[in-house]
């Protein structure tokens, strides 16, 4: 390919529409252009990267027995109504009607489609396991599309679905996909962790998120440097923190005027924050009051509260709901409350001695609270409901956990028979017994992976692609393209490299050398080979490694071999 024919409109100015670095760089390097909020055109350079990532994904899916298909993007409402998700998917689903008034959606995901695809056709255990996948556009009307391809409304996803005859088979498929995902992201040159994740709305069994480590990421993860434990902050299980046993003092009510925050109480009573218990009040969809209690220095993890109580959503509570059970906002504790609230107490709170908690009346707290003695065990749920913090012990090895941020680029789930049951899709097992399929689903965001790669690999001058996913592996920059001798010299080298299968771009544009070099750095080709009057005179080439900035000079005779050698090292 010749740069003079390539449509790669680079920009010198930083576009105002972008906040995130990768988004800015993709616009500046002429990779993408916005069509509407969360909808983008991939220009030739971006599309080359997308194709390379897709190809890596294909190879790894195929290696595990995946078979590529292509399902329609537009899906009939009926199958979503059958599974029950038409009603629950909400505004994120893009819906449309055909000329006859029939309802459809633009696929946000394809569990219903793929499950009904095999309904009645895969009838026997002998046809299992089966893994089907596709790489296509998905549609989600995200509430806040942002950061370019990171969170868009139309995006390219690889989605694979596994069908097995039993849970054991499903877990083997899961392991295969976990391994394939690790290979995909390693081959893309990304630093990532497989993070234990909450299953979210999709339901089912276990799940990992493949998360690229980047400070700008939207996910917060806890990880251990000593072992391979990593979990999203919402999921991270926490061990109970035990306190040293103390002599129990008797419960006492004290005045705490205006002390409606834990800070104020701790200062007023002059106790360490670890000796205080705080409350967070919620209401579920039916208005039922849910009171969550954690240690003063801990935060409530709402997902864990949902899991512990079985509620579907949590809303901020109304003061009237608190008053109805005899509570008092800012001065809450489980002691002496009337029936009517669901009370969840963090397991660590149950290990405290002689602590401070609200007295359920204005301007008053209890001191010497020992939950094991003072909380009515019949009226409370004890569970791990706190948010992980840096320094918490690793649930696997006990070392201190670290916190970092990351970008979720892929997720693997076991679904069990949730969808096969809902859609009534069965097969006959070895004993001729009718069974529901055990399923898994596995997604990778292709565009988000490209954005994450940029987020992780860049410098002040632009993008730094790893070889495997670079739009071109090498650019040959001709300093003066008006000089026929330079062009001829460069073209010869270009052809030699091309014939060896190297993905090379010839920058033959009639631009100043400075402009070309800036573009090369901005776009981020892994290697730049420069042909200039000087290299022509000395019958050599200059090779610059984008990542390290190292510059090498090679004789023309040996340069192809040397260039290939450097490429292989990248
Ligand atoms: P998120 O939590 O970021 O909204 P998700 O968990 O809903 O994502 P999945 O259903 O697991 O996403 O989709 C699989 C993959 O598709 C994600 O890991 C991500 O790489 C990609 N993806 C999901 N939503 C978007 C989006 N709005 N824009 C770009 N890529 C996306
Ligand atoms: Mg996900």
């Amino acid at each position: 390919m010749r740069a003079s024919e390539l449509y790669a409109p680079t920009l010198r100015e930083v576009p105002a529409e972008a906040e995130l670095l990768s988004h800015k760089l993709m616009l500046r390097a002429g990779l993408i252009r916005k069509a509407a909020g969360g909808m983008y055109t991939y220009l030739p350079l971006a599309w080359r990267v997308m194709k390379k990532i897709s190809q890596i994904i294909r190879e790894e899916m195929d290696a595990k027995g995946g078979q590529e298909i292509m399902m329609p993007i537009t899906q009939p409402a009926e199958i979503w109504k059958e599974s029950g998700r038409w009603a629950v998917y909400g505004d994120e689903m893009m819906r449309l009607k055909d000329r006859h008034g029939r309802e459809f959606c633009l696929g946000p995901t394809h569990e219903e489609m793929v499950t009904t695809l095999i309904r009645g056709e895969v009838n026997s255990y002998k046809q299992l396991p089966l893994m089907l996948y596709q790489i296509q556009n998905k549609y989600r009307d995200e509430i806040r599309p942002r950061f370019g391809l990171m969170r868009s409304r139309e995006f390219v996803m690889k989605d694979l679905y596994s069908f097995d005859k039993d849970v054991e088979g499903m877990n083997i498929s899961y392991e295969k996909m976990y391994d394939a995902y690790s290979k995909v992201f390693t081959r893309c040159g990304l630093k990532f962790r497989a993070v234990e994740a909450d299953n979210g709305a999709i339901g089912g069994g276990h799940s990992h998120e493949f998360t690229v480590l980047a400070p700008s990421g939207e996910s917060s993860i806890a990880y251990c440097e000593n072992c391979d434990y990593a979990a999203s902050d919402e999921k991270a299980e926490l061990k109970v923190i035990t306190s040293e046993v103390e002599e129990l003092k008797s419960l006492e009510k004290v005045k705490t005027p205006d002390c409606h925050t834990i800070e104020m109480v701790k200062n007023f009573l002059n106790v360490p924050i670890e000796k205080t218990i705080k409350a967070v009040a919620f209401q579920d969809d039916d208005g039922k009051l849910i009171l969550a209690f954690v240690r003063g220095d801990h935060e409530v993890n709402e997902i864990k509260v949902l899991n512990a109580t079985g509620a579907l959503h949590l809303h901020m509570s109304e003061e009237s709901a608190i008053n109805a059970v005899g509570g008092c906002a800012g001065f809450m504790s489980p002691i002496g409350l009337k029936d009517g609230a669901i009370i969840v107490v963090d397991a660590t709170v149950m290990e405290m001695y002689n602590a401070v908690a609200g007295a359920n009346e204005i301007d008053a707290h209890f001191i010497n609270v020992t939950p094991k003695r003072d909380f009515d065990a019949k009226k409370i749920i004890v569970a791990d409901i706190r948010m992980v913090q840096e320094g918490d012990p690793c649930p696997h090895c006990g070392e201190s956990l670290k916190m970092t941020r990351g970008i979720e680029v892929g997720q693997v789930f076991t679904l069990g028979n949730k969808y096969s049951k809902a859609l009534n899709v069965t097969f006959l097992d070895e004993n001729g017994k009718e069974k529901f399929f055990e399923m898994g689903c596995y997604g990778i965001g292709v565009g988000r992976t490209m954005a994450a790669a940029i987020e992780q690999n860049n410098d002040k001058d632009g993008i730094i692609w790893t070889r495997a996913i670079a739009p071109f592996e090498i650019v040959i920059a001709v300093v003066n393209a008006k000089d026929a001798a330079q062009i001829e010299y460069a073209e010869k080298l270009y052809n030699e490299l091309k014939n060896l299968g190297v993905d090379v771009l010839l920058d033959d544009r009639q631009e100043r050398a400075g402009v070309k070099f800036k573009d090369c750095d901005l776009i981020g080709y892994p290697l730049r080979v420069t042909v200039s009057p000087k290299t022509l005179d000395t019958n050599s080439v200059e090779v610059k490694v984008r990542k390290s900035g190292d510059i090498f000079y090679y004789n023309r005779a040996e340069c192809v071999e040397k260039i290939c050698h450097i490429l292989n090292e990248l």
Side-chain angles (χ1 to χ4, degrees):
M1 178 98 211
R2 287 154 197 278
S4 57
E5 293 163 1
L6 173 70
Y7 184 54
T10 53
L11 307 171
R12 291 285 161 255
E13 300 299 317
V14 179
E17 69 183 81
E19 295 167 58
L20 200 67
L21 190 63
S22 57
H23 186 196
K24 286 181 190 160
L25 286 171
M26 272 194 254
L27 290 167
R28 281 191 57 210
L31 262 59
I32 58 167
R33 287 295 180 261
K34 179 169 156 184
M39 312 226 172
Y40 291 86
T41 296
Y42 307 88
L43 297 179
L45 290 173
W47 197 241
R48 292 181 76 90
V49 176
M50 296 284 282
K51 283 194 287 191
K52 287 190 181 180
I53 297 173
S54 301
Q55 187 53 29
I56 292 174
I57 295 173
R58 267 191 192 100
E59 287 169 16
E60 298 302 336
M61 295 301 113
D62 293 352
K64 299 293 184 195
Q67 298 176 62
E68 189 170 2
I69 59 172
M70 185 58 102
M71 292 181 271
I73 286 172
T74 315
Q75 306 185 19
E78 287 80 40
I79 55 176
W80 288 84
K81 287 183 180 161
E82 243 188 288
S83 74
R85 284 209 292 180
W86 185 257
V88 296
Y89 219 98
D91 289 340
E92 219 179 81
M93 182 184 263
M94 296 220 192
R95 298 164 206 248
L96 62 153
K97 284 191 177 137
D98 71 4
R99 62 171 74 203
H100 307 295
R102 284 190 213 115
E103 290 176 299
F104 291 86
C105 69
L106 298 180
T109 177
H110 274 66
E111 284 82 13
E112 282 78 359
M113 195 76 176
V114 75
T115 311
T116 52
L117 170 77
I118 65 153
R119 181 158 63 185
E121 298 220 52
V122 178
N123 299 315
S124 160
Y125 72 95
K126 290 182 193 145
Q127 292 162 282
L128 302 175
L130 181 65
M131 288 183 177
L132 299 173
Y133 76 95
Q134 58 177 354
I135 301 178
Q136 68 163 197
N137 278 354
K138 292 277 182 281
Y139 295 81
R140 294 184 187 176
D141 199 356
E142 297 274 357
I143 195 161
R144 285 218 298 149
R146 61 203 157 125
F147 305 147
L149 300 187
M150 262 329 164
R151 186 166 294 286
S152 45
R153 298 195 295 167
E154 175 183 283
F155 57 97
V156 179
M157 196 207 281
K158 183 286 301 177
D159 45 329
L160 183 143
Y161 304 89
S162 63
F163 297 90
D164 279 280
K165 65 182 164 84
D166 50 23
V167 170
E168 199 188 347
M170 171 182 80
N171 288 336
I172 294 171
S173 295
Y174 186 87
E175 289 305 320
K176 283 186 181 168
M177 279 301 119
Y178 183 100
D179 185 51
Y181 273 44
S182 303
K183 291 190 166 125
V184 166
F185 297 118
T186 304
R187 283 180 65 186
C188 290
L190 294 165
K191 287 191 266 314
F192 67 94
R193 292 293 283 248
V195 171
E196 283 179 15
D198 194 78
N199 256 349
I202 202 152
H206 45 284
S207 173
H208 283 87
E209 281 171 0
F210 284 77
T211 304
V212 167
L213 306 180
S216 61
E218 287 183 287
S219 341
S220 174
I221 64 176
Y223 70 100
C224 179
E225 281 180 338
N226 188 49
C227 70
D228 65 1
Y229 180 78
S232 68
D233 60 353
E234 288 170 345
K235 169 89 183 182
E237 308 148 36
L238 293 169
K239 287 197 172 150
V240 178
I241 304 174
T242 49
S243 329
E244 231 167 87
V245 182
E246 288 175 25
E247 195 182 317
L248 303 194
K249 299 185 193 151
S250 45
L251 190 67
E252 197 181 316
K253 196 190 288 179
V254 295
K255 281 279 155 211
T256 49
D258 271 340
C259 294
H260 48 83
T261 68
I262 221 64
E263 258 322 283
M264 291 164 158
V265 179
K266 121 182 184 313
N267 292 339
F268 183 79
L269 295 175
N270 196 22
V271 290
I273 195 158
E274 298 82 19
K275 280 280 194 191
T276 63
I277 299 169
K278 75 177 170 196
V280 183
F282 305 99
Q283 279 175 273
D284 70 7
D285 289 339
D286 301 329
K288 179 124 187 149
L289 185 68
I290 297 177
L291 296 172
F293 291 92
V294 292
R295 213 167 75 176
D297 56 328
H298 291 158
E299 296 304 326
V300 171
N301 179 328
E302 295 188 15
I303 302 277
K304 289 183 181 176
V305 172
L306 289 177
N307 292 339
T309 59
L312 288 178
H313 301 100
L314 295 179
H315 309 275
M316 287 259 294
S317 76
E318 304 276 342
E319 199 156 339
S320 55
I322 295 175
N323 296 339
V325 296
C328 174
F331 301 89
M332 301 291 294
S333 83
I335 304 169
L337 282 184
K338 287 188 237 162
D339 289 347
I342 301 175
I343 301 172
V344 223
V345 180
D346 184 58
T348 291
V349 168
M350 297 308 289
E351 299 296 319
M352 294 168 78
Y353 296 93
N354 301 320
V356 174
N360 297 315
E361 62 180 65
I362 189 87
D363 295 346
H365 278 82
F366 287 122
I367 57 169
N368 305 332
V369 177
T370 299
K372 266 190 195 143
R373 177 194 64 189
D374 300 325
F375 293 1
D376 184 346
K378 291 188 290 303
K379 292 189 175 167
I380 60 172
I381 302 169
V382 177
D384 165 20
I385 56 159
R386 73 182 176 93
M387 208 72 187
V388 62
Q389 292 172 351
E390 180 125 3
D392 273 323
C394 169
H396 287 182
C397 74
E399 273 298 309
S400 289
L401 290 174
K402 293 231 153 49
M403 298 295 297
T404 184
R405 298 197 73 80
I407 301 162
E408 177 208 318
V409 285
Q411 187 160 13
V412 290
F413 293 94
T414 56
L415 296 169
N417 59 20
K418 180 177 157 135
Y419 291 92
S420 53
K421 214 169 190 172
L423 297 160
N424 196 25
V425 191
T426 58
F427 66 97
L428 295 179
D429 74 3
E430 291 91 331
N431 306 314
K433 221 176 131 219
E434 197 170 3
K435 286 225 168 113
F436 294 113
F437 293 94
E438 297 293 331
M439 295 172 56
C441 74
Y442 314 87
I444 295 180
V446 181
R448 196 185 278 182
T449 301
M450 170 165 71
I454 297 174
E455 208 55 49
Q456 210 169 55
N457 301 293
N458 64 73
D459 64 11
K460 65 178 191 343
D461 297 320
I463 303 167
I464 305 173
W465 292 109
T466 51
R467 179 191 181 184
I469 62 170
F472 290 96
E473 295 172 311
I474 298 182
V475 56
I476 302 177
V478 184
V479 163
N480 182 0
K482 289 186 187 130
D483 177 353
Q486 282 181 47
I487 284 283
E488 198 193 322
Y489 190 84
E491 269 185 5
K492 194 152 175 288
L493 180 61
Y494 168 74
N495 286 322
E496 281 175 38
L497 287 166
K498 253 182 83 121
N499 289 339
L500 288 171
V502 177
D503 195 11
V504 51
L505 177 75
L506 178 66
D507 195 348
D508 58 346
R509 290 176 302 157
Q510 304 217 339
E511 292 280 2
R512 280 182 294 113
V515 171
K516 286 187 185 175
F517 291 168
K518 274 213 154 58
D519 278 352
C520 290
D521 283 348
L522 177 60
I523 295 168
Y525 309 109
L527 283 190
R528 187 186 82 203
V529 177
T530 308
V531 170
S532 66
K534 192 174 120 202
T535 63
L536 228 62
D537 284 350
T538 52
N539 200 27
S540 65
V541 294
E542 178 195 296
V543 179
K544 185 176 172 199
V545 182
R546 174 69 181 86
K547 191 176 174 143
S548 62
D550 291 342
I551 294 182
F552 303 98
Y553 295 92
Y554 297 118
N555 279 333
R556 178 64 183 84
E558 57 164 13
C559 78
V560 170
E561 193 189 320
K562 295 280 188 196
I563 289 168
C564 291
H565 182 74
I566 300 181
L567 261 190
N568 288 336
E569 299 285 289
L570 283 179

